[in-house]
PDB file of all heavy atoms in Angstrom:
ATOM      1  N   GLN A1281     315.327 127.375 165.446  1.00 97.00           N
ATOM      2  CA  GLN A1281     315.886 128.695 165.951  1.00 97.00           C
ATOM      3  C   GLN A1281     317.082 129.127 165.034  1.00 97.00           C
ATOM      4  O   GLN A1281     316.995 128.894 163.837  1.00 97.00           O
ATOM      5  CB  GLN A1281     316.209 128.497 167.343  1.00 97.00           C
ATOM      6  CG  GLN A1281     315.019 128.094 168.235  1.00 97.00           C
ATOM      7  CD  GLN A1281     315.294 127.886 169.755  1.00 97.00           C
ATOM      8  OE1 GLN A1281     316.387 127.919 170.202  1.00 97.00           O
ATOM      9  NE2 GLN A1281     314.258 127.524 170.495  1.00 97.00           N
ATOM     10  N   CYS A1282     318.149 129.586 165.705  1.00 97.00           N
ATOM     11  CA  CYS A1282     319.145 130.176 164.837  1.00 97.00           C
ATOM     12  C   CYS A1282     320.034 129.243 163.973  1.00 97.00           C
ATOM     13  O   CYS A1282     320.008 129.307 162.788  1.00 97.00           O
ATOM     14  CB  CYS A1282     319.955 131.068 165.679  1.00 97.00           C
ATOM     15  SG  CYS A1282     320.888 130.149 167.078  1.00 97.00           S
ATOM     16  N   ALA A1283     320.757 128.280 164.681  1.00 98.00           N
ATOM     17  CA  ALA A1283     321.572 127.350 163.834  1.00 98.00           C
ATOM     18  C   ALA A1283     320.585 126.466 163.001  1.00 98.00           C
ATOM     19  O   ALA A1283     321.002 125.900 161.949  1.00 98.00           O
ATOM     20  CB  ALA A1283     322.385 126.525 164.844  1.00 98.00           C
ATOM     21  N   ASP A1284     319.391 126.193 163.652  1.00 98.00           N
ATOM     22  CA  ASP A1284     318.433 125.334 162.939  1.00 98.00           C
ATOM     23  C   ASP A1284     318.105 125.933 161.520  1.00 98.00           C
ATOM     24  O   ASP A1284     317.916 125.182 160.560  1.00 98.00           O
ATOM     25  CB  ASP A1284     317.261 125.138 163.756  1.00 98.00           C
ATOM     26  CG  ASP A1284     317.579 124.645 165.216  1.00 98.00           C
ATOM     27  OD1 ASP A1284     318.230 123.609 165.304  1.00 98.00           O
ATOM     28  OD2 ASP A1284     317.350 125.478 166.103  1.00 98.00           O
ATOM     29  N   ALA A1285     317.886 127.237 161.544  1.00 98.00           N
ATOM     30  CA  ALA A1285     317.522 127.867 160.333  1.00 98.00           C
ATOM     31  C   ALA A1285     318.626 127.795 159.230  1.00 98.00           C
ATOM     32  O   ALA A1285     318.446 127.610 158.049  1.00 98.00           O
ATOM     33  CB  ALA A1285     317.098 129.316 160.499  1.00 98.00           C
ATOM     34  N   VAL A1286     319.879 127.869 159.736  1.00 98.00           N
ATOM     35  CA  VAL A1286     321.105 127.768 158.857  1.00 98.00           C
ATOM     36  C   VAL A1286     320.981 126.274 158.317  1.00 98.00           C
ATOM     37  O   VAL A1286     321.250 126.082 157.048  1.00 98.00           O
ATOM     38  CB  VAL A1286     322.306 128.069 159.597  1.00 98.00           C
ATOM     39  CG1 VAL A1286     323.617 127.639 158.733  1.00 98.00           C
ATOM     40  CG2 VAL A1286     322.381 129.466 159.948  1.00 98.00           C
ATOM     41  N   MET A1287     320.853 125.320 159.155  1.00 98.00           N
ATOM     42  CA  MET A1287     320.828 123.933 158.638  1.00 98.00           C
ATOM     43  C   MET A1287     319.588 123.741 157.670  1.00 98.00           C
ATOM     44  O   MET A1287     319.860 122.984 156.814  1.00 98.00           O
ATOM     45  CB  MET A1287     320.840 122.991 159.843  1.00 98.00           C
ATOM     46  CG  MET A1287     322.147 123.006 160.684  1.00 98.00           C
ATOM     47  SD  MET A1287     322.201 121.847 161.953  1.00 98.00           S
ATOM     48  CE  MET A1287     321.054 122.601 163.187  1.00 98.00           C
ATOM     49  N   ARG A1288     318.523 124.294 157.977  1.00 98.00           N
ATOM     50  CA  ARG A1288     317.359 124.119 157.109  1.00 98.00           C
ATOM     51  C   ARG A1288     317.628 124.619 155.717  1.00 98.00           C
ATOM     52  O   ARG A1288     317.320 123.997 154.730  1.00 98.00           O
ATOM     53  CB  ARG A1288     316.150 124.843 157.836  1.00 98.00           C
ATOM     54  CG  ARG A1288     314.940 124.980 156.893  1.00 98.00           C
ATOM     55  CD  ARG A1288     314.074 123.682 156.923  1.00 98.00           C
ATOM     56  NE  ARG A1288     312.976 123.750 155.993  1.00 98.00           N
ATOM     57  CZ  ARG A1288     311.808 124.388 156.336  1.00 98.00           C
ATOM     58  NH1 ARG A1288     311.589 124.847 157.577  1.00 98.00           N
ATOM     59  NH2 ARG A1288     310.795 124.371 155.425  1.00 98.00           N
ATOM     60  N   LEU A1289     318.216 125.860 155.603  1.00 98.00           N
ATOM     61  CA  LEU A1289     318.429 126.442 154.294  1.00 98.00           C
ATOM     62  C   LEU A1289     319.522 125.520 153.578  1.00 98.00           C
ATOM     63  O   LEU A1289     319.269 125.350 152.365  1.00 98.00           O
ATOM     64  CB  LEU A1289     319.009 127.834 154.517  1.00 98.00           C
ATOM     65  CG  LEU A1289     318.006 128.846 154.951  1.00 98.00           C
ATOM     66  CD1 LEU A1289     318.700 130.153 155.221  1.00 98.00           C
ATOM     67  CD2 LEU A1289     316.878 129.096 153.911  1.00 98.00           C
ATOM     68  N   ARG A1290     320.464 125.075 154.241  1.00 98.00           N
ATOM     69  CA  ARG A1290     321.490 124.173 153.571  1.00 98.00           C
ATOM     70  C   ARG A1290     320.881 122.910 153.133  1.00 98.00           C
ATOM     71  O   ARG A1290     320.986 122.434 151.940  1.00 98.00           O
ATOM     72  CB  ARG A1290     322.648 123.871 154.562  1.00 98.00           C
ATOM     73  CG  ARG A1290     323.761 123.026 154.024  1.00 98.00           C
ATOM     74  CD  ARG A1290     324.476 123.622 152.901  1.00 98.00           C
ATOM     75  NE  ARG A1290     325.553 122.724 152.443  1.00 98.00           N
ATOM     76  CZ  ARG A1290     326.351 123.021 151.363  1.00 98.00           C
ATOM     77  NH1 ARG A1290     326.169 124.206 150.648  1.00 98.00           N
ATOM     78  NH2 ARG A1290     327.331 122.212 151.009  1.00 98.00           N
ATOM     79  N   ALA A1291     320.037 122.270 153.981  1.00 98.00           N
ATOM     80  CA  ALA A1291     319.371 121.071 153.629  1.00 98.00           C
ATOM     81  C   ALA A1291     318.341 121.161 152.549  1.00 98.00           C
ATOM     82  O   ALA A1291     318.169 120.402 151.593  1.00 98.00           O
ATOM     83  CB  ALA A1291     318.727 120.426 154.914  1.00 98.00           C
TER      84      ALA A1291
END
Side-chain angles (χ1 to χ4, degrees):
Q1281 299 177 3
C1282 59
D1284 311 296
V1286 171
M1287 292 184 286
R1288 171 77 182 278
L1289 290 172
R1290 179 65 176 176

